[in-house]
Coordinates of all heavy atoms in Angstrom, one line a residue:
M982 N 12.6 -20.2 45.4 CA 13.5 -19.7 46.4 C 12.9 -19.8 47.8 O 11.7 -19.5 48.0 CB 13.7 -18.2 46.2 CG 14.7 -17.8 45.1 SD 16.3 -18.5 45.3 CE 17.0 -17.5 46.6
P983 N 13.7 -20.3 48.7 CA 13.3 -20.4 50.1 C 13.1 -19.0 50.7 O 13.7 -18.0 50.4 CB 14.4 -21.2 50.8 CG 15.5 -21.1 49.9 CD 15.1 -20.8 48.5
V984 N 12.2 -19.0 51.7 CA 11.9 -17.8 52.4 C 12.6 -17.8 53.8 O 13.0 -16.8 54.3 CB 10.4 -17.6 52.6 CG1 10.0 -16.4 53.4 CG2 9.7 -17.6 51.2
I985 N 12.7 -19.0 54.4 CA 13.2 -19.1 55.7 C 14.7 -18.8 55.7 O 15.5 -19.3 54.8 CB 13.0 -20.5 56.3 CG1 11.4 -20.7 56.3 CG2 13.6 -20.7 57.6 CD1 11.0 -22.1 56.6
K986 N 15.2 -18.1 56.7 CA 16.6 -17.7 56.7 C 17.6 -18.8 56.7 O 18.6 -18.8 55.9 CB 16.9 -16.8 57.9 CG 18.3 -16.2 57.9 CD 18.5 -15.3 59.1 CE 19.9 -14.8 59.1 NZ 20.2 -14.0 60.3
S987 N 17.3 -19.8 57.5 CA 18.3 -21.0 57.5 C 18.3 -21.8 56.2 O 19.3 -22.3 55.8 CB 17.8 -21.9 58.7 OG 16.5 -22.5 58.4
A988 N 17.2 -21.8 55.5 CA 17.1 -22.5 54.2 C 17.9 -21.7 53.2 O 18.6 -22.3 52.3 CB 15.7 -22.6 53.7
I989 N 17.9 -20.4 53.3 CA 18.7 -19.5 52.3 C 20.2 -19.7 52.6 O 20.9 -19.9 51.7 CB 18.3 -18.0 52.5 CG1 16.8 -17.8 52.1 CG2 19.2 -17.1 51.8 CD1 16.3 -16.4 52.4
E990 N 20.5 -19.8 53.9 CA 21.9 -20.0 54.2 C 22.4 -21.4 53.8 O 23.5 -21.5 53.3 CB 22.1 -19.8 55.7 CG 22.0 -18.4 56.2 CD 21.9 -18.3 57.7 OE1 22.0 -19.3 58.4 OE2 21.8 -17.1 58.2
R991 N 21.5 -22.4 53.9 CA 21.9 -23.7 53.5 C 22.1 -23.8 52.0 O 23.0 -24.5 51.5 CB 20.8 -24.7 54.0 CG 21.2 -26.1 53.8 CD 22.3 -26.4 54.8 NE 22.9 -27.7 54.4 CZ 24.1 -28.0 54.6 NH1 24.9 -27.2 55.3 NH2 24.6 -29.1 54.2
M992 N 21.3 -23.1 51.2 CA 21.5 -23.0 49.8 C 22.8 -22.5 49.4 O 23.5 -23.0 48.5 CB 20.4 -22.2 49.1 CG 19.1 -22.9 48.8 SD 18.0 -21.9 47.9 CE 18.9 -21.3 46.5
K993 N 23.3 -21.4 50.1 CA 24.6 -20.8 49.9 C 25.7 -21.8 50.2 O 26.6 -22.0 49.4 CB 24.8 -19.6 50.7 CG 23.9 -18.4 50.2 CD 24.1 -17.2 51.1 CE 23.1 -16.1 50.7 NZ 23.2 -14.9 51.6
T994 N 25.6 -22.5 51.3 CA 26.6 -23.5 51.7 C 26.6 -24.6 50.7 O 27.7 -25.1 50.4 CB 26.4 -24.0 53.1 OG1 25.2 -23.6 53.7 CG2 27.5 -23.7 54.1
N995 N 25.5 -25.1 50.3 CA 25.4 -26.2 49.3 C 26.1 -25.8 48.0 O 26.8 -26.6 47.4 CB 24.0 -26.6 49.1 CG 23.4 -27.4 50.2 OD1 24.1 -27.9 51.1 ND2 22.1 -27.5 50.3
E996 N 25.9 -24.6 47.6 CA 26.5 -24.1 46.4 C 28.1 -24.1 46.5 O 28.8 -24.5 45.6 CB 26.0 -22.8 46.0 CG 26.5 -22.2 44.7 CD 26.1 -23.1 43.5 OE1 25.1 -23.8 43.5 OE2 26.8 -22.9 42.4
I997 N 28.5 -23.6 47.6 CA 30.0 -23.6 47.8 C 30.6 -25.0 47.9 O 31.6 -25.3 47.2 CB 30.3 -22.8 49.2 CG1 30.0 -21.3 49.0 CG2 31.8 -23.0 49.6 CD1 30.0 -20.6 50.3
A998 N 29.9 -25.9 48.5 CA 30.3 -27.3 48.6 C 30.3 -27.9 47.2 O 31.2 -28.7 46.9 CB 29.5 -28.1 49.6
R999 N 29.3 -27.7 46.5 CA 29.2 -28.2 45.1 C 30.3 -27.8 44.2 O 30.9 -28.6 43.5 CB 27.8 -27.8 44.5 CG 27.6 -28.5 43.1 CD 26.4 -27.9 42.4 NE 26.6 -26.5 42.0 CZ 27.4 -26.1 41.0 NH1 28.0 -27.0 40.2 NH2 27.5 -24.8 40.7
K1000 N 30.7 -26.5 44.3 CA 31.8 -26.0 43.5 C 33.1 -26.7 43.9 O 34.0 -27.0 43.1 CB 31.9 -24.5 43.6 CG 30.8 -23.8 42.8 CD 30.9 -22.3 43.0 CE 29.8 -21.6 42.2 NZ 29.8 -20.2 42.4
K1001 N 33.3 -26.8 45.2 CA 34.5 -27.4 45.8 C 34.6 -28.9 45.4 O 35.7 -29.3 44.9 CB 34.6 -27.2 47.3 CG 35.9 -27.6 47.9 CD 35.9 -27.2 49.4 CE 35.7 -28.4 50.2 NZ 35.8 -28.2 51.6
N1002 N 33.5 -29.6 45.5 CA 33.5 -31.0 45.1 C 33.8 -31.2 43.6 O 34.5 -32.1 43.2 CB 32.2 -31.6 45.5 CG 32.0 -31.8 47.0 OD1 33.0 -31.8 47.7 ND2 30.8 -31.9 47.5
A1003 N 33.2 -30.3 42.8 CA 33.4 -30.4 41.4 C 34.8 -30.2 41.0 O 35.4 -30.9 40.2 CB 32.5 -29.4 40.6
S1004 N 35.4 -29.2 41.7 CA 36.8 -28.9 41.5 C 37.7 -30.1 41.8 O 38.7 -30.5 41.1 CB 37.2 -27.7 42.3 OG 38.6 -27.5 42.2
E1005 N 37.5 -30.7 43.0 CA 38.3 -31.9 43.4 C 38.1 -33.1 42.5 O 39.1 -33.7 42.2 CB 37.9 -32.3 44.9 CG 38.4 -31.4 45.9 CD 39.9 -31.5 46.0 OE1 40.5 -32.5 45.9 OE2 40.5 -30.4 46.2
K1006 N 36.9 -33.3 42.1 CA 36.6 -34.4 41.1 C 37.3 -34.2 39.8 O 37.9 -35.1 39.2 CB 35.1 -34.6 41.0 CG 34.7 -36.0 40.8 CD 33.2 -36.2 40.9 CE 32.9 -37.6 40.8 NZ 31.4 -37.9 40.9
N1007 N 37.3 -32.9 39.4 CA 38.0 -32.6 38.1 C 39.5 -32.8 38.2 O 40.1 -33.2 37.3 CB 37.6 -31.1 37.8 CG 38.1 -30.8 36.4 OD1 38.1 -31.6 35.5 ND2 38.6 -29.5 36.2
R1008 N 40.1 -32.4 39.4 CA 41.5 -32.6 39.6 C 41.9 -34.1 39.5 O 42.9 -34.5 38.9 CB 41.9 -32.1 41.0 CG 43.3 -32.0 41.3 CD 43.6 -31.3 42.6 NE 43.3 -32.2 43.7 CZ 44.1 -33.1 44.2 NH1 45.3 -33.3 43.7 NH2 43.7 -33.8 45.2
M1009 N 41.0 -35.0 40.1 CA 41.2 -36.4 40.0 C 41.2 -36.9 38.5 O 42.1 -37.6 38.1 CB 40.2 -37.2 40.8 CG 40.3 -38.7 40.7 SD 38.9 -39.6 41.3 CE 37.7 -39.1 40.1
R1010 N 40.1 -36.5 37.8 CA 40.0 -36.9 36.4 C 41.2 -36.4 35.6 O 41.7 -37.2 34.7 CB 38.7 -36.3 35.8 CG 37.5 -37.0 36.3 CD 36.3 -36.6 35.5 NE 35.1 -36.7 36.2 CZ 34.3 -35.7 36.6 NH1 34.6 -34.5 36.3 NH2 33.2 -35.9 37.3
T1011 N 41.7 -35.2 35.8 CA 42.8 -34.7 35.1 C 44.1 -35.5 35.4 O 44.8 -35.8 34.4 CB 43.0 -33.2 35.5 OG1 41.8 -32.5 35.2 CG2 44.2 -32.6 34.7
A1012 N 44.3 -35.9 36.6 CA 45.5 -36.6 37.0 C 45.4 -38.0 36.3 O 46.5 -38.5 35.8 CB 45.6 -36.8 38.5
V1013 N 44.3 -38.6 36.2 CA 44.1 -39.9 35.6 C 44.4 -39.8 34.1 O 45.1 -40.6 33.4 CB 42.7 -40.6 35.8 CG1 42.5 -41.8 35.0 CG2 42.6 -40.9 37.3
K1014 N 43.8 -38.7 33.5 CA 44.0 -38.5 32.0 C 45.5 -38.2 31.7 O 46.0 -38.7 30.7 CB 43.1 -37.4 31.5 CG 41.7 -37.8 31.4 CD 40.8 -36.6 31.0 CE 39.3 -36.9 31.1 NZ 38.5 -35.8 30.7
E1015 N 46.1 -37.5 32.6 CA 47.6 -37.2 32.4 C 48.4 -38.5 32.4 O 49.3 -38.7 31.6 CB 48.1 -36.2 33.4 CG 47.6 -34.8 33.2 CD 48.1 -33.8 34.3 OE1 48.6 -34.3 35.3 OE2 47.8 -32.6 34.1
F1016 N 48.0 -39.4 33.3 CA 48.7 -40.7 33.4 C 48.5 -41.5 32.1 O 49.4 -42.0 31.5 CB 48.3 -41.5 34.6 CG 48.8 -42.9 34.6 CD1 50.1 -43.2 34.9 CD2 47.9 -43.9 34.3 CE1 50.6 -44.5 34.9 CE2 48.4 -45.2 34.2 CZ 49.7 -45.5 34.5
E1017 N 47.3 -41.5 31.7 CA 46.9 -42.3 30.5 C 47.6 -41.7 29.3 O 48.1 -42.5 28.4 CB 45.4 -42.4 30.3 CG 44.7 -43.3 31.3 CD 43.2 -43.2 31.3 OE1 42.7 -42.3 30.6 OE2 42.6 -44.1 31.9
K1018 N 47.7 -40.4 29.2 CA 48.3 -39.8 28.0 C 49.8 -40.0 28.1 O 50.4 -40.3 27.1 CB 48.1 -38.3 28.1 CG 48.6 -37.5 26.9 CD 48.2 -36.0 27.0 CE 48.7 -35.2 25.9 NZ 48.4 -33.8 26.0
A1019 N 50.4 -39.9 29.3 CA 51.9 -40.2 29.4 C 52.2 -41.6 29.1 O 53.2 -41.9 28.5 CB 52.3 -39.9 30.8
S1020 N 51.3 -42.6 29.5 CA 51.6 -44.0 29.2 C 51.5 -44.3 27.7 O 52.2 -45.1 27.1 CB 50.6 -44.9 30.0 OG 49.3 -44.7 29.5
A1021 N 50.6 -43.6 27.0 CA 50.4 -43.8 25.6 C 51.6 -43.2 24.8 O 52.0 -43.7 23.8 CB 49.2 -43.1 25.1
Q1022 N 52.2 -42.1 25.4 CA 53.4 -41.5 24.7 C 54.7 -42.2 25.1 O 55.7 -41.9 24.5 CB 53.5 -40.0 25.1 CG 52.3 -39.2 24.5 CD 52.4 -37.8 25.0 OE1 53.2 -37.4 25.9 NE2 51.6 -36.9 24.3
G1023 N 54.7 -43.0 26.1 CA 55.9 -43.7 26.5 C 56.8 -42.9 27.3 O 58.0 -42.9 27.1
V1024 N 56.3 -42.0 28.2 CA 57.2 -41.1 29.0 C 58.0 -42.0 29.9 O 57.6 -43.0 30.5 CB 56.3 -40.2 29.8 CG1 57.1 -39.3 30.7 CG2 55.5 -39.3 28.8
S1025 N 59.3 -41.6 30.1 CA 60.2 -42.4 30.9 C 59.8 -42.3 32.4 O 60.0 -43.3 33.1 CB 61.6 -41.9 30.7 OG 61.7 -40.5 31.1
D1026 N 59.4 -41.2 33.0 CA 59.1 -41.1 34.4 C 57.6 -41.3 34.6 O 56.9 -40.5 35.3 CB 59.6 -39.7 35.0 CG 58.9 -38.6 34.3 OD1 58.4 -38.7 33.2 OD2 58.9 -37.5 34.9
L1027 N 57.1 -42.4 34.2 CA 55.7 -42.7 34.3 C 55.3 -43.0 35.7 O 54.1 -42.7 36.1 CB 55.4 -44.0 33.4 CG 53.9 -44.3 33.2 CD1 53.2 -43.2 32.4 CD2 53.8 -45.6 32.4
D1028 N 56.2 -43.3 36.5 CA 55.9 -43.6 38.0 C 55.4 -42.4 38.7 O 54.5 -42.5 39.5 CB 57.2 -44.2 38.6 CG 56.9 -44.8 40.0 OD1 55.8 -45.5 40.1 OD2 57.6 -44.5 40.9
T1029 N 55.9 -41.2 38.4 CA 55.4 -40.0 39.0 C 54.0 -39.7 38.6 O 53.2 -39.3 39.5 CB 56.3 -38.8 38.7 OG1 56.3 -38.6 37.3 CG2 57.7 -39.0 39.2
F1030 N 53.7 -39.9 37.4 CA 52.3 -39.7 36.9 C 51.3 -40.7 37.6 O 50.2 -40.4 38.0 CB 52.2 -39.9 35.4 CG 52.7 -38.7 34.6 CD1 54.0 -38.8 34.1 CD2 52.0 -37.5 34.5 CE1 54.5 -37.7 33.4 CE2 52.5 -36.5 33.8 CZ 53.8 -36.6 33.2
Y1031 N 51.8 -41.9 37.8 CA 51.0 -43.0 38.4 C 50.7 -42.6 39.9 O 49.6 -42.7 40.3 CB 51.8 -44.3 38.3 CG 51.1 -45.4 39.1 CD1 49.9 -46.0 38.6 CD2 51.6 -45.9 40.3 CE1 49.3 -47.0 39.3 CE2 51.0 -46.9 41.0 CZ 49.8 -47.5 40.5 OH 49.2 -48.5 41.2
R1032 N 51.8 -42.2 40.6 CA 51.6 -41.9 42.0 C 50.7 -40.7 42.2 O 49.9 -40.6 43.1 CB 53.0 -41.6 42.7 CG 53.7 -42.9 43.1 CD 54.9 -42.6 43.9 NE 56.1 -42.6 43.0 CZ 56.9 -41.6 42.9 NH1 56.7 -40.5 43.6 NH2 57.9 -41.6 42.1
K1033 N 50.8 -39.7 41.3 CA 49.9 -38.5 41.4 C 48.5 -38.9 41.1 O 47.6 -38.4 41.8 CB 50.4 -37.5 40.3 CG 49.6 -36.2 40.4 CD 50.2 -35.2 39.3 CE 49.3 -33.9 39.3 NZ 49.7 -33.0 38.2
A1034 N 48.2 -39.8 40.2 CA 46.9 -40.2 39.9 C 46.3 -41.0 41.0 O 45.1 -40.8 41.4 CB 46.8 -41.0 38.6
V1035 N 47.1 -41.9 41.6 CA 46.6 -42.7 42.7 C 46.3 -41.9 43.9 O 45.3 -42.0 44.6 CB 47.6 -43.9 43.0 CG1 47.2 -44.5 44.3 CG2 47.6 -44.9 41.9
A1036 N 47.2 -40.9 44.2 CA 46.9 -40.0 45.3 C 45.7 -39.2 45.1 O 44.9 -38.9 46.1 CB 48.1 -39.0 45.4
A1037 N 45.4 -38.7 43.9 CA 44.2 -37.9 43.6 C 43.0 -38.8 43.8 O 41.9 -38.3 44.3 CB 44.2 -37.4 42.2
I1038 N 43.0 -40.1 43.4 CA 41.9 -41.0 43.6 C 41.6 -41.2 45.0 O 40.5 -41.2 45.5 CB 42.2 -42.3 42.8 CG1 42.1 -42.1 41.3 CG2 41.1 -43.4 43.2 CD1 42.6 -43.3 40.5
D1039 N 42.7 -41.5 45.8 CA 42.6 -41.7 47.2 C 42.0 -40.5 47.9 O 41.2 -40.6 48.9 CB 43.9 -42.1 47.9 CG 44.3 -43.5 47.5 OD1 43.4 -44.3 47.2 OD2 45.5 -43.8 47.6
H1040 N 42.4 -39.3 47.5 CA 41.9 -38.1 48.1 C 40.4 -37.9 47.9 O 39.7 -37.6 48.8 CB 42.7 -36.9 47.6 CG 42.3 -35.6 48.2 ND1 42.7 -35.2 49.5 CD2 41.6 -34.5 47.8 CE1 42.2 -34.0 49.8 NE2 41.6 -33.6 48.8
S1041 N 40.0 -38.2 46.6 CA 38.6 -38.1 46.3 C 37.8 -39.1 47.1 O 36.7 -38.8 47.5 CB 38.4 -38.3 44.8 OG 39.0 -37.2 44.1
K1042 N 38.4 -40.3 47.3 CA 37.7 -41.3 48.0 C 37.5 -40.9 49.5 O 36.4 -41.0 50.1 CB 38.4 -42.6 48.0 CG 37.7 -43.8 48.7 CD 38.5 -45.0 48.7 CE 39.5 -44.9 49.9 NZ 40.2 -46.1 50.2
S1043 N 38.6 -40.3 50.1 CA 38.5 -39.9 51.5 C 37.5 -38.8 51.7 O 37.0 -38.6 52.8 CB 39.9 -39.5 52.0 OG 40.3 -38.3 51.4
K1044 N 37.3 -37.9 50.7 CA 36.4 -36.8 50.8 C 34.9 -37.3 50.5 O 34.0 -36.5 50.6 CB 36.8 -35.7 49.9 CG 38.1 -35.1 50.2 CD 38.0 -34.4 51.6 CE 39.4 -33.8 51.9 NZ 39.4 -33.3 53.3
G1045 N 34.8 -38.5 50.1 CA 33.4 -39.0 49.8 C 32.9 -38.6 48.4 O 31.7 -38.7 48.2
L1046 N 33.8 -38.2 47.5 CA 33.3 -37.8 46.2 C 33.1 -39.1 45.3 O 32.3 -39.0 44.4 CB 34.4 -36.9 45.5 CG 34.7 -35.6 46.3 CD1 35.8 -34.9 45.6 CD2 33.4 -34.8 46.4
I1047 N 33.9 -40.1 45.5 CA 33.7 -41.4 44.8 C 33.6 -42.5 45.9 O 34.2 -42.4 46.9 CB 34.7 -41.7 43.8 CG1 36.1 -41.7 44.4 CG2 34.7 -40.7 42.6 CD1 37.2 -42.1 43.4
K1048 N 33.0 -43.6 45.5 CA 32.8 -44.7 46.4 C 34.1 -45.5 46.4 O 34.9 -45.5 45.5 CB 31.6 -45.5 46.1 CG 30.3 -44.8 46.3 CD 29.1 -45.6 46.2 CE 27.9 -44.8 46.4 NZ 26.7 -45.6 46.5
T1049 N 34.3 -46.3 47.5 CA 35.5 -47.1 47.7 C 35.7 -48.1 46.5 O 36.8 -48.2 46.0 CB 35.4 -47.9 49.0 OG1 35.2 -47.0 50.0 CG2 36.6 -48.7 49.2
N1050 N 34.6 -48.8 46.1 CA 34.8 -49.7 45.0 C 35.2 -49.0 43.7 O 36.0 -49.6 42.9 CB 33.5 -50.5 44.8 CG 33.6 -51.7 43.9 OD1 34.6 -52.4 44.1 ND2 32.7 -52.0 43.1
S1051 N 34.6 -47.9 43.5 CA 35.0 -47.1 42.3 C 36.4 -46.7 42.3 O 37.2 -46.8 41.3 CB 34.1 -45.9 42.2 OG 34.4 -45.1 41.1
A1052 N 36.9 -46.3 43.5 CA 38.3 -45.9 43.6 C 39.2 -47.1 43.4 O 40.2 -47.0 42.7 CB 38.6 -45.3 45.0
N1053 N 38.9 -48.2 44.0 CA 39.7 -49.4 43.8 C 39.7 -49.9 42.3 O 40.8 -50.3 41.8 CB 39.2 -50.5 44.7 CG 39.4 -50.3 46.2 OD1 40.2 -49.4 46.5 ND2 38.6 -50.9 47.0
R1054 N 38.6 -49.8 41.7 CA 38.5 -50.1 40.2 C 39.4 -49.2 39.4 O 40.2 -49.7 38.5 CB 37.1 -50.1 39.8 CG 36.9 -50.6 38.4 CD 35.4 -50.6 38.0 NE 34.8 -49.3 38.1 CZ 33.9 -48.9 38.9 NH1 33.4 -49.7 39.8 NH2 33.4 -47.7 38.9
K1055 N 39.4 -47.9 39.7 CA 40.2 -47.0 38.9 C 41.7 -47.2 39.2 O 42.5 -47.2 38.2 CB 39.9 -45.5 39.3 CG 38.6 -45.0 38.8 CD 38.3 -43.6 39.3 CE 36.9 -43.2 39.1 NZ 36.5 -43.0 37.7
K1056 N 42.1 -47.5 40.4 CA 43.5 -47.8 40.8 C 43.9 -49.1 40.1 O 45.1 -49.2 39.7 CB 43.7 -47.8 42.3 CG 43.6 -46.4 42.9 CD 44.1 -46.4 44.3 CE 43.2 -47.2 45.3 NZ 43.6 -47.0 46.7
S1057 N 43.1 -50.1 40.1 CA 43.4 -51.3 39.5 C 43.6 -51.1 38.0 O 44.6 -51.7 37.4 CB 42.3 -52.3 39.7 OG 42.5 -53.5 39.0
H1058 N 42.8 -50.3 37.3 CA 43.0 -50.0 35.9 C 44.3 -49.4 35.7 O 45.0 -49.8 34.7 CB 41.8 -49.1 35.5 CG 42.0 -48.6 34.1 ND1 41.8 -49.5 33.0 CD2 42.3 -47.4 33.5 CE1 42.0 -48.8 31.9 NE2 42.3 -47.5 32.2
L1059 N 44.7 -48.4 36.5 CA 46.0 -47.8 36.3 C 47.2 -48.7 36.6 O 48.2 -48.7 35.9 CB 46.1 -46.6 37.3 CG 45.1 -45.5 37.1 CD1 45.3 -44.4 38.2 CD2 45.1 -44.9 35.7
A1060 N 47.0 -49.6 37.6 CA 48.1 -50.6 37.9 C 48.2 -51.6 36.7 O 49.4 -52.0 36.4 CB 47.7 -51.4 39.1
N1061 N 47.1 -51.9 36.1 CA 47.2 -52.8 34.9 C 48.0 -52.2 33.8 O 48.8 -52.8 33.1 CB 45.8 -53.2 34.4 CG 45.2 -54.3 35.3 OD1 45.9 -55.0 36.0 ND2 43.9 -54.3 35.3
I1062 N 47.8 -50.9 33.6 CA 48.5 -50.2 32.5 C 50.0 -50.1 32.9 O 50.9 -50.4 32.0 CB 48.0 -48.7 32.4 CG1 46.6 -48.7 31.8 CG2 48.9 -47.9 31.5 CD1 45.9 -47.4 31.8
M1063 N 50.3 -49.9 34.1 CA 51.7 -49.9 34.6 C 52.4 -51.2 34.4 O 53.5 -51.3 33.9 CB 51.8 -49.5 36.1 CG 51.7 -48.0 36.4 SD 53.1 -47.0 35.8 CE 54.3 -47.5 37.0
N1064 N 51.7 -52.3 34.7 CA 52.2 -53.6 34.6 C 52.5 -54.0 33.1 O 53.5 -54.7 32.8 CB 51.3 -54.7 35.2 CG 51.3 -54.6 36.7 OD1 52.3 -54.1 37.3 ND2 50.3 -55.0 37.4
K1065 N 51.6 -53.6 32.2 CA 51.8 -53.9 30.8 C 53.0 -53.2 30.2 O 53.6 -53.7 29.3 CB 50.5 -53.5 30.0 CG 49.4 -54.4 30.2 CD 48.1 -53.9 29.5 CE 46.9 -54.8 29.8 NZ 45.7 -54.4 29.1
L1066 N 53.3 -52.0 30.7 CA 54.4 -51.2 30.2 C 55.7 -51.5 30.8 O 56.8 -51.2 30.2 CB 54.1 -49.7 30.4 CG 52.9 -49.2 29.6 CD1 52.6 -47.7 29.9 CD2 53.0 -49.3 28.1
S1067 N 55.7 -52.2 31.9 CA 57.0 -52.5 32.6 C 57.4 -53.9 32.3 O 56.9 -54.7 31.6 CB 57.0 -52.2 34.1 OG 55.9 -53.0 34.7

């Protein structure tokens, strides 16, 4: 445990940021999984699931939770699924 007051405060802020980042990343993963599940079931309004997943990926990228190449790779994977089904 740190003794210096600023270090203690920094630990608290880091913990808050960690929880927020984990929540955002989890939201992105959930959106991608929902799209993949919907595509496997053959849902008719697959486009809404696709847009939601891509938006979640872009949001995570803009917040610095995932790198640009990783975001582009994930979006490409989703686009390939969409192209195969249409």
Side-chain angles (χ1 to χ4, degrees):
M982 276 308 282
V984 177
I985 300 168
K986 184 178 178 182
S987 62
I989 293 170
E990 290 171 0
R991 191 67 199 152
M992 272 186 51
K993 290 178 186 176
T994 5
N995 285 342
E996 183 64 20
I997 292 168
R999 186 190 66 77
K1000 287 180 181 178
K1001 191 171 98 175
N1002 290 340
S1004 173
E1005 281 297 320
K1006 213 166 181 183
N1007 188 36
R1008 190 176 71 85
M1009 178 198 63
R1010 288 191 204 115
T1011 302
V1013 171
K1014 286 178 188 177
E1015 285 176 354
F1016 169 76
E1017 290 173 345
K1018 185 177 178 182
S1020 65
Q1022 292 176 349
V1024 175
S1025 60
D1026 61 340
L1027 192 61
D1028 192 42
T1029 59
F1030 285 101
Y1031 175 74
R1032 279 189 265 121
K1033 184 178 176 186
V1035 168
I1038 291 170
D1039 285 336
H1040 184 74
S1041 293
K1042 182 185 85 167
S1043 71
K1044 296 297 178 185
L1046 300 177
I1047 58 174
K1048 295 190 176 187
T1049 303
N1050 195 41
S1051 178
N1053 291 340
R1054 188 175 60 246
K1055 288 177 190 296
K1056 290 193 293 188
S1057 175
H1058 175 72
L1059 299 180
N1061 286 336
I1062 293 173
M1063 281 291 286
N1064 289 336
K1065 287 180 184 177
L1066 296 176
S1067 59

